[in-house]
Amino acid sequence: MTQGDGPIGSGGAVDPEQYSSDDGPSQVTFTLSRDLQKRLDRYLGDRIPWLSRTSLQRLIAEQAVTVNGRHPKASTKLRKGDVITVILPPPPSSDLPAEDIPIEIMHEDADIIVINKHDDIIVHPARGNQSGTIINGLAWHLRHSGGGLSDVGAEHARPGVVHRLDRHTTGVMVCAKNETAHWRIGKQFEQRTTRKRYIALVHGNVEPLADVIDLPIGKHATIRHCNAVRWDDTGKQAVTLYRVLEQYGDFTLLEVELRTGRTHQIRVHLSHLGWPIAGDDMYGGRHIEVRDLLTPEQSRGDRRAVVLGRQALHAALLGFTHPSTDQDVEYRAPLPEDMKNLIQILRDRGPAKQPKVNGRVLDANSL
């Protein structure tokens, strides 16, 4: 298969439906018609979007990629006239243990499955843990209903996973059931054309009522598994918009819109500005107990009882273009009980303010 280097979406990328490796590895060749001055691994990431950058770097290291007949490095800069040949491996097995795990399905068709993710469940197997995840639960569901998940990402035990939510973040997620759907929705996330809105309850009285947070994010310098705002060359652009929904004095309810998709982006940005998410003890928040909300006269029973023991972050809305119909679709997930209860306690405690802010699309009451 030979490809040019035209724009993605106009023939420049390899269509997963054209990639068949039933008889073993396939080969694809690209010829650059202009001087891109782009790293090889980044270029291939644009042209073969269903393979992760790590997978592509592994192919380069294993000499499955040539540039002008020579074995390059991942960092090789490409120029006009370069001929890149890639030997694509056969898709790995996506077999994972199917487990009868309750999964709340909001929508399902031949291409996608949309779920309302609950608290305390990870999206896919990782670090040797092959069970107890959403993917295991979906494998069970699809085994009994017919169909399967996209093989994209199967080499990392995450077939069908287009995007992820943190273990303790709830809300809307979409998974792909075939390679074409995966590629098309994945490109929307990459090109930032999806619509993602979250509900977050944070510590503090947030001002101004709406703002754009444009702060680079990278790995935390000393704390493993955490990210932080980084101004050095490790920081990547991260843009978050927030709008105040309700104010309770020592807490604020926010609508948050993502323009980029860095790991822990909302949690890092809000914490950096002094408004950590309630319950998020990884990024400066704290678990909420009855004594944090009510006076002894107002409360009954154990004042140390936990009202919220995880970050109060909920993916409330996800919108994108359907991969087959090209129709605009949008899905909204209701607030989970722990966040709903906490918001109601704060309202009852009073005073609760609901300022008017332009650009909001979410209403906590309707969720």
Side-chain angles (χ1 to χ4, degrees):
M1 184 191 308
T2 301
Q3 297 277 323
D5 65 331
I8 296 296
S10 63
V14 179
D15 189 329
E17 288 189 332
Q18 297 175 330
Y19 166 45
S20 175
S21 52
D22 295 339
D23 298 322
S26 296
Q27 180 174 296
V28 61
T29 299
F30 306 96
T31 301
L32 270 66
S33 61
R34 59 187 186 276
D35 195 347
L36 295 180
Q37 282 292 316
K38 181 181 284 189
R39 284 173 55 112
L40 173 62
D41 55 352
R42 291 185 180 274
Y43 174 81
L44 292 180
D46 291 339
R47 298 296 170 251
I48 312 173
W50 76 89
L51 286 180
S52 69
R53 189 174 175 188
T54 301
S55 298
L56 291 168
Q57 289 172 340
R58 186 180 300 118
L59 288 180
I60 296 168
E62 293 175 353
Q63 299 188 345
V65 179
T66 63
V67 176
N68 303 325
R70 298 180 178 180
H71 297 298
K73 296 181 179 179
S75 58
T76 296
K77 291 290 182 67
L78 300 177
R79 299 180 180 277
K80 180 179 179 179
D82 284 346
V83 178
I84 302 102
T85 301
V86 185
I87 299 174
L88 297 171
S93 172
S94 59
D95 291 339
L96 287 169
E99 298 179 85
D100 189 7
I101 298 171
I103 304 291
E104 183 179 344
I105 297 173
M106 303 173 65
H107 170 84
E108 182 176 5
D109 57 37
D111 299 292
I112 61 174
I113 184 164
V114 181
I115 68 170
N116 179 16
K117 178 186 174 298
H118 294 173
D119 174 33
D120 199 21
I121 184 170
I122 61 176
V123 173
H124 60 78
R127 301 185 184 92
N129 180 10
Q130 294 292 304
S131 63
T133 74
I134 286 174
I135 293 302
N136 297 112
L138 288 179
W140 177 278
H141 165 75
L142 292 168
R143 175 182 293 179
H144 290 80
S145 65
L149 293 169
S150 160
D151 281 332
V152 179
E155 70 269 33
H156 301 297
R158 53 188 189 213
V161 177
V162 180
H163 66 124
R164 291 174 290 180
L165 296 176
D166 296 338
R167 177 172 187 159
H168 295 291
T169 298
T170 55
V172 188
M173 270 191 58
V174 61
C175 291
K177 297 177 71 175
N178 56 66
E179 284 74 10
T180 299
H182 200 133
W183 170 65
R184 291 176 177 172
I185 299 175
K187 291 305 293 182
Q188 294 181 57
F189 276 91
E190 180 183 335
Q191 296 172 349
R192 305 174 187 176
T193 59
T194 57
R195 301 183 306 283
K196 296 176 284 185
R197 303 283 177 111
Y198 293 72
I199 294 284
L201 182 71
V202 303
H203 294 282
N205 188 34
V206 175
E207 292 182 348
L209 297 178
D211 206 355
V212 177
I213 308 171
D214 188 352
L215 298 170
I217 289 177
K219 292 291 185 182
H220 196 285
T222 59
I223 304 177
R224 190 181 179 189
H225 305 314
C226 285
N227 284 349
V229 170
R230 296 290 298 264
W231 295 104
D232 55 19
D233 57 3
T234 68
K236 297 180 180 179
Q237 184 188 30
V239 180
T240 306
L241 285 68
Y242 76 80
R243 303 170 184 92
V244 170
L245 292 174
E246 298 180 1
Q247 295 174 314
Y248 316 107
D250 49 350
F251 293 91
T252 303
L253 190 66
L254 300 176
E255 172 188 290
V256 183
E257 179 181 355
L258 284 179
R259 292 295 175 85
T260 56
R262 307 301 176 199
T263 301
H264 299 173
Q265 178 174 321
I266 296 173
R267 300 163 67 187
V268 171
H269 271 171
L270 293 175
S271 176
H272 182 80
L273 294 180
W275 309 312
I277 295 176
D280 188 4
D281 54 359
M282 180 180 287
Y283 287 103
R286 65 180 185 277
H287 293 179
I288 307 302
E289 300 177 351
V290 170
R291 61 180 178 173
D292 298 318
L293 304 169
L294 304 176
T295 66
E297 293 75 20
Q298 292 174 313
S299 62
R300 298 178 181 177
D302 184 5
R303 287 178 47 77
R304 293 181 178 270
V306 176
V307 180
L308 186 79
R310 54 98 183 182
Q311 67 257 18
L313 182 62
H314 177 69
L317 180 152
L318 177 63
F320 53 90
T321 300
H322 193 281
S324 291
T325 67
D326 287 332
Q327 297 295 310
D328 184 71
V329 293
E330 184 176 281
Y331 304 95
R332 299 190 181 208
L335 282 171
E337 287 299 318
D338 56 357
M339 286 186 65
K340 195 159 55 175
N341 291 339
L342 178 52
I343 291 169
Q344 191 58 54
I345 290 171
L346 292 170
R347 287 174 173 173
D348 292 343
R349 184 190 67 170
K353 299 178 182 179
Q354 298 177 331
K356 293 183 178 180
V357 180
N358 292 332
R360 292 191 320 209
V361 298
L362 297 177
D363 177 3
N365 291 322
S366 67
L367 289 170

